[in-house]
Amino acid sequence: MFEYISSLFCSQQEIYKSLIRSTYDEYVSIGRNLKQKYPVIQSYMTFEYVESLEEEVRREFKDCGKRQIEVREELINLIKIYCKKYPDEKICEYRHFKTYDKYPYRLHQWLHEFIKLL
């Protein structure tokens, strides 16, 4: 029934794209919200700097990091499903996506460019 209702308004492919984009937005907002709450948090921090932060800030920083990893993995899984269903899309041909299983950090570094291919 969901497929029938969704086909009335938009395609299933568009629903997947929307879900991927919203998951990516959630991923980005986790870090942005933490940075707004605690301006002492910088984009790149050394281990020594993190250890010099207050206990509450450190704990929340680590919790947000774990949450970002969970959301990022959920995002990658959604994209894998999307690429199985729609293998001719540009996003499926992205070089760092093709080598994700071997070099996941490459895609993580270029995630912002990758999502633009949708």
Side-chain angles (χ1 to χ4, degrees):
M1 179 156 171
F2 173 73
E3 291 174 0
Y4 172 74
I5 293 171
S6 66
S7 67
L8 293 175
F9 301 108
C10 60
S11 69
Q12 196 171 21
Q13 184 175 5
E14 290 301 316
I15 292 172
Y16 271 106
K17 284 182 179 183
S18 178
L19 183 59
I20 290 169
R21 285 187 184 112
S22 68
T23 305
Y24 176 74
D25 290 345
E26 179 184 357
Y27 171 78
V28 171
S29 71
I30 292 169
R32 187 180 306 130
N33 292 344
L34 182 67
K35 197 169 184 176
Q36 286 175 351
K37 187 174 180 180
Y38 299 109
V40 295
I41 293 180
Q42 304 166 359
S43 297
Y44 298 98
M45 298 189 296
T46 62
F47 178 75
E48 291 82 17
Y49 185 77
V50 172
E51 290 301 313
S52 71
L53 297 172
E54 295 177 21
E55 181 65 32
E56 177 186 343
V57 177
R58 251 190 323 204
R59 189 175 337 104
E60 196 160 344
F61 177 72
K62 290 177 184 178
D63 291 343
C64 286
K66 289 176 186 176
R67 178 71 183 130
Q68 266 192 320
I69 290 170
E70 291 170 2
V71 172
R72 185 182 62 210
E73 294 305 314
E74 179 182 337
L75 176 66
I76 299 300
N77 288 334
L78 285 171
I79 294 170
K80 285 181 178 181
I81 292 168
Y82 177 81
C83 287
K84 280 184 181 178
K85 287 182 149 287
Y86 310 102
D88 296 332
E89 291 292 311
K90 285 191 295 186
I91 199 166
C92 303
E93 298 301 317
Y94 190 67
R95 62 183 174 182
H96 298 314
F97 182 67
K98 286 182 170 182
T99 61
Y100 180 75
D101 292 331
K102 193 170 184 180
Y103 306 108
Y105 62 91
R106 291 179 180 170
L107 183 61
H108 298 166
Q109 291 171 342
W110 293 97
L111 205 51
H112 61 285
E113 292 292 327
F114 179 60
I115 293 300
K116 289 179 185 178
L117 297 175
L118 276 176

